[in-house]
Amino acid sequence: MLSDCLVGFGKKSPDLGEYDPLTQADSDESEDDLVLNLQQKNGGVKNGKSPLGEAPEPDSDAEVTGAGKPHLSEVTTEGYPLEPLGGLERKAASSIASYVRTSVFLLMLVISMVLVLVCAFLIPCPPRDLHSTWSRHLGPQGGGDLSPLDLADVNGDGLRDVLLSFVTSGNGSTAGVSRPPAVLVCLSGMNGSTLWSSRLPEEARDITCLDLMPGRVAKTVCLVTGTHKMLSAFNATSGKAIWTLDPHYLSNGTLAAPGVVLPDLDEDGIRDLAVLAIGELQPDLCFLLVSGRTGSPVGRPVKYNIVGVGNLIGPQVYITTSGAAYILFGFGNIQAVALRDIFVQAQNRDSLPPSLQIDEPEWERRRSINLSELIDIYSDGVELLQVVKVPDSNSSNLLITTRQGLVLLQGQNLTPSWTLSLQGLRSQPTPGYFTDDETLDFLLQIPNGAGKKKVMVVDGASGLVAWSYSVPCHMEETPATSAATVDQKSVFLFWAEGLSAASPNPDVVPGTEPPSLHHLYLLHPAFPSILLDLANATGTVTASEVGINDLWKDAFYVTRTTGPSSEGHPAPLVVSKLSLRWALMEGQVVQLRETTPKIGRGELRRFLSRIKFVDSPYQVKSL
């Protein structure tokens, strides 16, 4: 019997020693759990311990008692009820559902991450232009007194680029006449790199970039007017010429002024143009209507005999409140002719497009007694004319600079709103919001003795001087600009020589630096007792423009500067760009007069840091 027991003890049990995959698949319990349950049933072991708290001996009889492996339904533990098989099936189903939910969640997470990465690579980030300041040397200029400059977004990055033209230092000839060649260049607004350049047959008088198809998705077109016979439309994106006016249509004259944009006359969906040519041997003025689509003439030229002495004024298109279109022009005076009259003579027909079937009674009453086609507007020594759009209105006023002063005419009835007596005003006034009446004011620059000029702001509602200061400046007719802010105010920017930090006399400010160094000063209407010195430049500033970065509510200031020339070497041309929000925080404060209470540096910086710029709510056309 003892031998049988020993034989049984040494023989491997088929139930405990072999793995049955079918039995294991039906169970939700691990092999360790089954061994534990067997120990609890046969040896009174609970939680791996004997009832006395001692672990059983590995070779004790408790481990070999019972010849066969009990069925799953018979395995119990002390004090625990049996678990039915259906509960295990529910556990398996619950485990599968949890697995499915986890898989779906992980799958959605992976898809989301992939989409985020795809968007990050495919969608370009908008350019951050807050600190974009650059200067580009374009080499020596070969001459030319004109400095055309304009801004337009040509590469679709949301930032306006810089377009300019200049005469190169080489020699060339056009139509048998020896003239230096000219070039039209587009510089990136982001870093100043050259986007494209195109050769021009003659020096450019003006560059104007605009959309000839308002209300439609169209590419920006840049109109370039030359000093002789060139009028071309360029694709602003590629720099390729779309069309060029045949110079034979101007065989008896040359272009007297930049081309102006008209309503759509030939009803092809694109706005048309008008150019003014002047005879070479006689003072006749000739209007030529040009198709904005093809550059071909719309009818024959229309001539007018003009009597006057002084600067050529115009042409400038004026649209009245009722929608009637007139063209303003003259020599030292301002006259107007209805666009419909030019169109009728050019086409030699009586039918008119809808845009020309409107007239303005107040203007028509001003025709001469002999029923001439010309309407007298102003005839007292006119030097400059600006058409100023009235904010929140579809009407415009006429700001006229004369040898005697400044006059603002109401566009509706052509009656003076105010007159300011002023001598020596030669540069065009700069409009902007300085006072709190939401009416456009004007910054003026007037020579004030040798090496000095007076800078003043005129209230647009009354014509009274709202601010003035004398500054040292040896440059003649330095450009001034303004930039509008979101709170319907404007900052004014002008050039002068170095100002001392504090001057006891606001009318006499001695220069502290050589005349060749000029500073860019900013005037904000909230702090009229100080100026901000933003930048400086050597040479002569010939043109400037202000552009807006809509995304960051920032403004940038672009200058065209001709450096000092040495003997035998032409003057270098430099184009620079300055971010205004960055310059406001870095600019030096120039105290013009003491105030009570004194303006704190911290208060000023907090105010300047909150300034945001927007596109100008007004439009100004200078003639």
Side-chain angles (χ1 to χ4, degrees):
M1 185 176 207
L2 180 59
S3 61
D4 294 338
C5 292
L6 293 176
V7 172
F9 180 81
K11 184 180 179 180
K12 188 175 180 180
S13 173
D15 291 332
L16 297 179
E18 295 183 357
Y19 173 72
D20 188 353
L22 297 178
T23 306
Q24 183 69 18
D26 294 337
S27 173
D28 191 40
E29 298 180 0
S30 66
E31 184 178 356
D32 293 339
D33 293 336
L34 294 178
V35 172
L36 178 61
N37 291 335
L38 289 175
Q39 290 174 343
Q40 289 177 344
K41 179 176 180 181
N42 298 318
V45 181
K46 181 182 293 187
N47 296 330
K49 295 182 180 181
S50 64
L52 298 178
E54 298 178 355
E57 295 295 334
D59 56 347
S60 63
D61 295 340
E63 292 183 83
V64 295
T65 304
K69 180 180 178 180
H71 193 271
L72 202 57
S73 59
E74 298 176 355
V75 178
T76 61
T77 58
E78 258 186 31
Y80 292 91
L82 295 174
E83 182 174 350
L85 185 60
L88 297 177
E89 293 176 350
R90 284 194 296 270
K91 280 187 177 183
S94 176
S95 177
I96 294 175
S98 176
Y99 172 79
V100 171
R101 286 194 298 268
T102 304
S103 300
V104 172
F105 171 76
L106 293 177
L107 180 61
M108 296 300 295
L109 182 62
V110 170
I111 293 176
S112 301
M113 293 177 63
V114 171
L115 290 177
V116 170
L117 293 176
V118 170
C119 293
F121 280 102
L122 295 184
I123 301 177
C125 295
R128 187 174 180 85
D129 189 50
L130 294 180
H131 307 289
S132 179
T133 299
W134 50 260
S135 182
R136 176 75 186 278
H137 292 253
L138 296 179
Q141 280 195 118
D145 299 328
L146 302 175
S147 303
L149 180 69
D150 202 8
L151 304 177
D153 181 12
V154 307
N155 54 6
D157 63 354
L159 185 64
R160 290 173 177 86
D161 306 295
V162 183
L163 294 102
L164 71 156
S165 177
F166 59 94
V167 177
T168 61
S169 58
N171 293 323
S173 62
T174 302
V177 181
S178 177
R179 298 192 190 101
V183 62
L184 177 65
V185 178
C186 180
L187 304 180
S188 168
M190 178 58 65
N191 53 29
S193 61
T194 301
L195 298 179
W196 52 260
S197 63
S198 297
R199 305 288 293 184
L200 299 178
E202 62 187 46
E203 181 182 1
R205 178 193 304 271
D206 178 79
I207 301 173
T208 301
C209 297
L210 72 164
D211 183 5
L212 292 178
M213 301 174 62
R216 303 185 186 181
V217 179
K219 294 182 179 179
T220 301
V221 175
C222 292
L223 299 177
V224 180
T225 306
T227 54
H228 294 83
K229 297 178 181 294
M230 181 190 71
L231 177 66
S232 299
F234 285 84
N235 185 316
T237 302
S238 63
K240 304 297 183 181
I242 301 174
W243 54 257
T244 298
L245 177 66
D246 190 341
H248 290 92
Y249 294 111
L250 303 171
S251 58
N252 296 326
T254 60
L255 294 175
V260 294
V261 181
L262 306 175
D264 182 14
L265 302 180
D266 51 10
E267 300 180 280
D268 61 356
I270 298 179
R271 292 187 292 182
D272 300 308
L273 311 170
V275 294
L276 181 63
I278 185 171
E280 296 177 348
L281 301 178
Q282 55 184 354
D284 289 342
L285 294 181
C286 173
F287 282 102
L288 181 65
L289 305 180
V290 179
S291 169
R293 178 183 292 274
T294 63
S296 302
V298 182
R300 61 186 182 183
V302 179
K303 294 183 178 181
Y304 290 95
N305 292 321
I306 302 298
V307 178
V309 178
N311 297 333
L312 173 64
I313 306 299
Q316 174 62 55
V317 177
Y318 184 91
I319 307 296
T320 66
T321 306
S322 61
Y326 293 86
I327 295 183
L328 308 177
F329 66 106
F331 278 101
N333 57 4
I334 303 176
Q335 295 182 305
V337 59
L339 181 57
R340 70 171 183 273
D341 293 339
I342 298 178
F343 182 81
V344 167
Q345 295 182 65
Q347 294 284 322
N348 195 21
R349 66 179 188 181
D350 295 332
S351 60
L352 296 172
S355 59
L356 300 183
Q357 297 177 3
I358 304 173
D359 59 13
E360 184 62 49
E362 291 292 337
W363 286 53
E364 295 298 327
R365 293 192 188 100
R366 287 178 167 260
R367 289 186 183 273
S368 302
I369 299 177
N370 58 0
L371 299 179
S372 168
E373 292 178 319
L374 300 180
I375 302 172
D376 293 327
I377 303 297
Y378 200 88
S379 58
D380 190 10
V382 178
E383 298 282 344
L384 299 166
L385 171 65
Q386 292 170 241
V387 178
V388 183
K389 189 178 186 306
V390 178
D392 301 326
S393 173
N394 61 347
S395 62
S396 301
N397 294 330
L398 302 178
L399 184 66
I400 303 173
T401 301
T402 70
R403 289 191 293 266
Q404 292 76 32
L406 204 61
V407 180
L408 183 67
L409 294 184
Q410 297 181 15
Q412 186 64 27
N413 50 25
L414 300 176
T415 59
S417 293
W418 48 261
T419 300
L420 175 65
S421 297
L422 206 59
Q423 299 291 330
L425 181 60
R426 294 295 180 266
S427 59
Q428 69 174 21
T430 301
Y433 293 103
F434 188 85
T435 59
D436 296 328
D437 56 8
E438 298 184 358
T439 302
L440 276 178
D441 308 306
F442 305 96
L443 182 137
L444 314 179
Q445 300 182 93
I446 306 168
N448 189 26
K452 292 188 300 182
K453 70 177 178 181
K454 176 170 283 189
V455 183
M456 62 175 60
V457 178
V458 175
D459 187 347
S462 62
L464 302 176
V465 177
W467 182 91
S468 66
Y469 202 83
S470 291
V471 296
C473 186
H474 288 80
M475 279 196 303
E476 296 182 0
E477 299 184 4
T478 56
T481 54
S482 65
T485 60
V486 294
D487 56 352
Q488 203 167 8
K489 291 289 185 180
S490 299
V491 297
F492 296 86
L493 300 109
F494 61 90
W495 290 88
E497 292 167 20
L499 300 176
S500 57
S503 174
N505 187 351
D507 293 326
V508 180
V509 180
T512 59
E513 294 175 331
S516 60
L517 183 63
H518 291 83
H519 294 251
L520 176 64
Y521 290 102
L522 180 142
L523 170 66
H524 195 288
F527 298 94
S529 62
I530 65 172
L531 293 175
L532 286 177
D533 185 350
L534 302 184
N536 57 70
T538 56
T540 303
V541 180
T542 57
S544 64
E545 290 286 344
V546 170
I548 302 298
N549 186 340
D550 297 321
L551 180 62
W552 302 108
K553 302 300 180 184
D554 189 14
F556 58 90
Y557 182 77
V558 176
T559 56
R560 173 177 176 151
T561 306
T562 302
S565 59
S566 57
E567 284 190 31
H569 298 281
L573 175 63
V574 180
V575 179
S576 303
K577 178 191 171 185
L578 177 69
S579 170
L580 285 188
R581 290 185 64 184
W582 176 82
L584 285 174
M585 304 305 297
E586 300 295 328
Q588 300 296 318
V589 177
V590 177
Q591 189 79 32
L592 303 181
R593 62 177 182 271
E594 294 294 334
T595 59
T596 304
K598 190 175 181 178
I599 302 173
R601 179 66 178 175
E603 173 193 358
L604 180 61
R605 287 184 63 86
R606 284 191 298 270
F607 178 84
L608 297 177
S609 65
R610 293 192 295 266
I611 292 180
K612 296 181 179 180
F613 296 96
V614 294
D615 270 319
S616 175
Y618 46 84
Q619 294 179 353
V620 178
K621 299 293 184 181
S622 59
L623 307 182

